[in-house]
Structures are given as C-alpha cells and as structure tokens.
Amino acid sequence: MSDSVKDCAYVHQKIDTGLNADSVEFCPYDEQQNILLCGTYKLQETPESDVTTDSSIPTGDESSQHNSSPASQIRLGGISAFSLACHDGKSHLSEVCKFDMCGVLDIKWPGVRINGKSLFGLVDAEGFLQIFDFPKEDTNLIPVAKEILSESSLGLSLGWDGGRERLCSKVVASDSKGCVNLVCLENGTLSTVSRWKAHDFEAWITAFHDFDSNIVYSGGDDCTLKGWDVRDTTKPTFVSRRHTMGVCSIQSHPFDENIYATGSYDEDLLIWDRRQQKRPVAETNLGGGIWRIKWDPFFGQYILTATMYNGTHIVKCQNLDSSPLPIETQHNDHNLAYGADWCRLDKTLMSIDNKLSLKDTGCQDRIEYLISTCSFYDHSLHLWEWVPDV
C-alpha cells in the first residue's frame, strides 16, 4: 500500500457468516434501502472426491483448473438478508431471514422494481439463474423462477438490463463453460432467449451496458474483454486483450453512457470509453486481483473494489485524465475479498426516515459513505464507513 493511502475505514461491524461469503448487495429500492443481501458458498469435501480446492472460486491462478468436474462435488451456501439501522451514531446489521440452497456466486438487484415487485437475481453452483422476491411488507425471500444455464456448469455472474420498461426484463448470465446466456423474465417466468460460447474458459463476468440493452460485455479466464450485440451474437463487436490475466469485473458508469470500468486478476483497474476501445482512458494498479467493482451510485466519482488478496479499495475517478487514478482509501482486514457494495442511505437519516437516500439530500459536503464488503476464507461480512477528504 502506498504511503499516501491509509487503511482509514471506520468499521461498525464484522459478522461471522458461517459459510464462505462471496457477494454483498444493498437493495436500491425506496423504503428497502436498509436491506443487504449476502451470498455464501462452501465446497463440501467428500471422501470420494478428496477435493481440497474449488476450481469454481477463482484465486488468480486458474491454469490447472479448467478440467474440474463440478457434478462430483457438493456445494453448500445460501442467502442471508440483513436489516440496517443506526443508533447513537453507529450503524448495525441484523439478520432478518436466511434461505439455504447450493452455493451462491453472484447476486444482483435490478435498478428499479419490476412490475411493482422487489425482485433480485442470483446465479448458483448448480448452474441455475434464480429470481427471488423480497416484499416490502415481509421478511421472507420468496422463490419466483429459475432457469438452467449450460449443463453441468456453475453460474458465475449476472446482470440486469438498464431499461426503464419494467413489466418484463432481460437478464444476462455467465457460466463456467464460457457461455453467456440472455434470459427474459416476464409474468414471473424465465425463458432463455439465446446462449452463446463467449470465452474459451470460465466466463467470470457479464453485464449489460446500462444505457443500451442491446449491448452486453463479457470477461473471461482467456484474458479477453468482449462486446456483444444481442441481436447477433455470432461474433463479438470488439475483443480487447489489454488485460493480461482473466477479466472478472465489468460495470458501466451510472451517469455517463460512454464510460465503463473493468478489473482483472492482473490487478489493473481500467476505465474505458466505448467510443474507442483500443486503449483505456485511465487506469490504476491495486496490488490484488479485482473481483468486483462498484461505481458509487450517487455522483459516479468513486469506484469501490473487492481486491481479492489485497483487501478493498476506493479509487477516485473524478478526473479521468489523471493516470494512475488516485486511491482514496483501503480496508485491509479481508482474507480473499470478493463482494463489495455502497449503501444508498445517509447514515444520519437512517434512524429517522428510511425513504430518503443519500442522493436525495442534495448534500455533497462531508458525506459519510456506508459500505459493506465480504471476506471469503474467514467467512465474514463487514460494515464500514468512509468519509472522503473535502
């Protein structure tokens, strides 16, 4: 860590998740922004398989793991839902419900409710895309629909289209066979629209371009970043080999339709302008494989990362002409950081009115960001706070 970067996270809480924690997602919906989901995953060792490592969980060295047989291994996991509250200036998560299932590898909420329902999606270790409902008036996770991805594969990531039409929606999901799957959710039913071989090995990540639901990005263990037009997936619209190792994180800028970011085992966070794909417009090295990236949803000025073997980072992205991009802070207390997300609530308002969001306050002075991250090997969920210098 650079001498100019401090591990200055104020930790409110560290929770033992029991099983290995690999994904965290705050709810974006009004009146439910206090809800946090945490996904867990654990490989059950059996005498027959004598398995000691799990090839579906990346460590940055996957060269000998492409011939694994997931069908012969037992994978446990589930989803825990937590409620966030603030008392006497300290934030606190309380578990409200739990849903046991096979291992969960990624969770995503759509940007807005679909047909009035508080839905979210996940991909699991049995190769399914699953949709759940978390009603406002309830504290139970309700299964809605599921759809198989590639046979004998593991689901690795998913993303929702960013369109505003919410009577139906599209989901894109990637799997361990290198395939990307385009799935439609309509009237509570999932149906596969198309499936294509996108990468030679694991397709670690896929995501819609948030401003154009015909555009999908994917990243794989073959070290490539690819763009796709879902109307014709016979070939990619572009292929980038700028990353030198597996590409495992992609996200569009929340407000600028031309900007998106990627992360890789190669430890580089890259910022791209989709109008020119030859080279990134900005970058920084974070000293660890970048498994998840999250633009701040308020102003799009920072990126939060789960940086695997090097904790979690917040990178300042206000000036993309500055490279390397400055690292604002780092939270090191993680043993393989996989999940990270921003809470949309203003901490000072949580105990007063959960309907208000940080952006609604209109205040950009002395913002206190609440963040949740998770650590895999020590099965822990972290709730911490960061106050940027202004």
Side-chain angles (χ1 to χ4, degrees):
M1 181 167 58
S2 168
D3 291 340
S4 63
V5 180
K6 297 180 180 179
D7 184 4
C8 58
Y10 171 62
V11 179
H12 289 261
Q13 195 175 8
K14 184 176 178 181
I15 300 171
D16 187 339
T17 57
L19 301 179
N20 306 112
D22 62 16
S23 54
V24 291
E25 294 286 322
F26 275 105
C27 182
Y29 310 142
D30 290 345
E31 302 179 12
Q32 288 181 287
Q33 293 176 337
N34 63 313
I35 297 299
L36 174 71
L37 299 179
C38 178
T40 58
Y41 179 106
K42 181 176 176 61
L43 180 72
Q44 181 69 54
E45 298 181 19
T46 63
E48 293 80 7
S49 62
D50 192 29
V51 176
T52 58
T53 61
D54 187 355
S55 63
S56 66
I57 292 293
T59 62
D61 182 12
E62 318 304 318
S63 57
S64 62
Q65 299 180 353
H66 298 299
N67 295 318
S68 62
S69 178
S72 66
Q73 302 168 356
I74 300 173
R75 292 173 166 86
L76 308 175
I79 320 163
S80 293
F82 296 85
S83 178
L84 177 66
C86 184
H87 181 68
D88 293 335
K90 186 171 183 180
S91 302
H92 185 269
L93 290 167
S94 300
E95 187 176 79
V96 293
C97 64
K98 188 175 182 181
F99 193 97
D100 294 326
M101 54 189 296
C102 67
V104 173
L105 284 90
D106 193 20
I107 303 171
K108 291 289 192 323
W109 300 85
V112 297
R113 290 185 174 93
I114 297 173
N115 201 19
K117 293 183 178 293
S118 301
L119 301 182
F120 67 89
L122 63 84
V123 287
D124 67 33
E126 292 180 351
F128 283 93
L129 166 67
Q130 298 201 48
I131 307 299
F132 284 77
D133 186 12
F134 195 170
K136 287 185 290 185
E137 66 280 1
D138 205 345
T139 55
N140 290 312
L141 303 175
I142 302 172
V144 173
K146 63 190 300 185
E147 177 80 351
I148 189 69
L149 303 177
S150 301
E151 294 291 337
S152 300
S153 71
L154 293 92
L156 296 179
S157 76
L158 79 152
W160 294 86
D161 74 83
R164 299 297 96 184
E165 174 55 54
R166 287 309 185 187
L167 295 178
C168 63
S169 191
K170 289 186 289 185
V171 187
V172 65
S174 66
D175 62 45
S176 59
K177 286 195 169 181
C179 293
V180 171
N181 305 260
L182 179 64
V183 183
C184 180
L185 174 65
E186 188 170 11
N187 297 323
T189 300
L190 286 171
S191 58
T192 299
V193 177
S194 60
R195 174 184 296 121
W196 65 96
K197 180 72 171 177
H199 296 275
D200 292 336
F201 304 118
E202 292 91 344
W204 292 124
I205 187 70
T206 188
F208 278 100
H209 177 65
D210 279 353
F211 296 85
D212 187 341
S213 58
N214 288 317
I215 297 174
V216 166
Y217 301 114
S218 67
D221 209 52
D222 55 7
C223 309
T224 62
L225 165 68
K226 297 183 180 182
W228 306 90
D229 189 318
V230 298
R231 294 165 295 190
D232 180 5
T233 58
T234 55
K235 62 180 181 179
T237 57
F238 74 85
V239 178
S240 171
R241 294 180 173 82
R242 170 58 179 78
H243 282 295
T244 58
M245 299 181 72
V247 179
C248 39
S249 50
I250 302 170
Q251 193 186 35
S252 297
H253 191 285
F255 306 113
D256 190 327
E257 65 180 83
N258 294 311
I259 301 299
Y260 70 100
T262 61
S264 165
Y265 298 146
D266 66 12
E267 305 180 353
D268 285 339
L269 172 68
L270 304 182
I271 312 297
W272 301 87
D273 186 323
R274 70 188 183 109
R275 293 167 295 187
Q276 61 93 2
Q277 284 289 155
K278 290 186 177 180
R279 62 183 63 87
V281 295
E283 60 186 280
T284 197
N285 185 281
L286 298 182
I290 304 168
W291 179 246
R292 281 293 176 263
I293 52 180
K294 296 289 182 66
W295 290 91
D296 83 77
F298 318 109
F299 314 113
Q301 296 175 346
Y302 303 100
I303 289 179
L304 169 67
T305 72
T307 323
M308 296 181 73
Y309 289 109
N310 197 28
T312 61
H313 295 78
I314 294 176
V315 179
K316 190 173 184 177
C317 301
Q318 289 170 297
N319 181 9
L320 296 183
D321 293 329
S322 173
S323 203
L325 295 168
I327 300 169
E328 289 291 286
T329 194
Q330 180 173 354
H331 178 28
N332 283 324
D333 184 23
H334 292 74
N335 191 350
L336 200 59
Y338 272 150
D341 201 14
W342 306 82
C343 177
R344 290 160 174 78
L345 287 173
D346 184 342
K347 183 171 73 72
T348 61
L349 297 173
M350 280 192 294
S351 59
I352 302 172
D353 187 353
N354 279 342
K355 296 180 181 180
L356 290 176
S357 70
L358 178 60
K359 193 177 178 183
D360 290 334
T361 68
C363 176
Q364 299 188 37
D365 296 328
R366 208 59 181 170
I367 291 173
E368 300 174 348
Y369 291 99
L370 273 175
I371 291 163
S372 184
T373 52
C374 64
S375 181
F376 188 78
Y377 286 132
D378 58 352
H379 40 85
S380 63
L381 174 66
H382 299 234
L383 180 67
W384 51 283
E385 178 183 333
W386 170 63
V387 181
D389 293 331
V390 292

